Every structure is written in structure tokens, then in C-alpha cells.
Amino acid sequence: MKFCLLALTALVVVGSVSSQEPAWCRCALFVSSSTAEIMVYELPEVDITDCENHSQCKNRCTKEFNEMTNEMDLWSTVNGETVGQFICQNLYGNFVMFIHNSYVHAYYEVCGGPWEYAGLDSQQMLCCSLGQHEHCISR
């Protein structure tokens, strides 16, 4: 009986400690291929009030995506480089040498859960060759 009471007390303590952990929200850009989803850039984490509030995470990430990419425009210049160039350099630094004719998609993640689509796509397709952002040629 004492063991059951001790185990129950431990569960209550663990539950109350974990519920006090801060909530967090990740925002990232991905491209899709026939074999994989590739994270092309992770934006700064945004604050949310609790792990149940998916719409708050989505809205804050959407705001961050639009501000940092000028409404998902890969040819927009931010700090002297195009958004696409920044992504291509990031990919090249992670050993992804080529991306061709791929739209960039915005996703968010709430407190370590699955990545969820934020409903945003790049205005243009992304093409990278050895870390250089290039104009895509459709076939």
C-alpha cells in the first residue's frame, strides 16, 4: 500500500513539474522531394503561452515567415542577399549541393510535436547549384 501511495505521489509531482515547463514553437522552411522533406532553414523560435495553442504558434510563425522572407519572395533582397541565396548557402553548408524547381513550404512545430503546414508557399520555385541561388528553368 505504501508503495502504491509513493508511486502515485511521484506521478503527481512529475506531472506538475512537466506542466510548468515553458511552451515553445519552432518555425522552419522545407522543400519536398520524391524521397524526403528537407529543412532548408529554421527561423528563430517564437514564444507561445501553452502547448495546446496550435493556432497561436501558427500565427506567430506566419508573421515571422512573412517578415523574414518578404511574403515568401525568394528574389527579395534582405541584408544584401536574396532570400533564396540565403537558403542555398544554408543548404550548401549542410551538404545539399543541388535543389531544382522546388517550392519552399512553411511549417511550424508546437512543443516537440509533428511539423504542421502553415499554409504558406514561396512565390517562386527554388533552384540552387553549389550554394548559388539561380533562376529556375521549367521543363
Side-chain angles (χ1 to χ4, degrees):
M1 182 68 170
K2 285 183 181 181
F3 177 75
C4 289
L5 185 57
L6 183 60
L8 182 60
T9 303
L11 285 174
V12 169
V13 169
V14 168
S16 67
V17 168
S18 65
S19 68
Q20 295 173 2
E21 291 181 21
W24 48 276
C25 173
R26 292 172 63 194
C27 314
L29 300 173
F30 288 80
V31 295
S32 302
S33 76
S34 59
T35 58
E37 296 291 324
I38 303 166
M39 183 187 293
V40 296
Y41 186 70
E42 184 167 2
L43 286 76
E45 201 172 279
V46 295
D47 293 325
I48 55 174
T49 55
D50 63 73
C51 291
E52 303 301 316
N53 200 339
H54 288 244
S55 62
Q56 185 182 48
C57 179
K58 178 182 178 182
N59 292 338
R60 290 190 178 168
C61 281
T62 297
K63 182 176 188 252
E64 188 169 63
F65 292 132
N66 286 330
E67 287 175 356
M68 293 186 74
T69 66
N70 195 22
E71 308 289 326
M72 301 289 285
D73 180 358
L74 300 181
W75 287 101
S76 178
T77 303
V78 178
N79 297 327
E81 290 184 328
T82 65
V83 171
Q85 180 61 33
F86 188 79
I87 291 171
C88 290
Q89 287 176 341
N90 187 56
L91 285 167
Y92 189 70
N94 288 295
F95 307 105
V96 178
M97 305 300 154
F98 302 99
I99 295 284
H100 291 290
N101 298 333
S102 297
Y103 285 98
V104 179
H105 312 287
Y107 284 83
Y108 63 96
E109 177 192 57
V110 180
C111 300
W115 286 101
E116 298 179 54
Y117 179 55
L120 297 173
D121 299 306
S122 59
Q123 294 180 29
Q124 306 87 9
M125 288 187 284
L126 178 68
C127 287
C128 302
S129 180
L130 300 174
Q132 297 302 308
H133 183 209
E134 299 178 343
H135 287 279
C136 294
I137 299 172
S138 299
R139 294 183 188 164

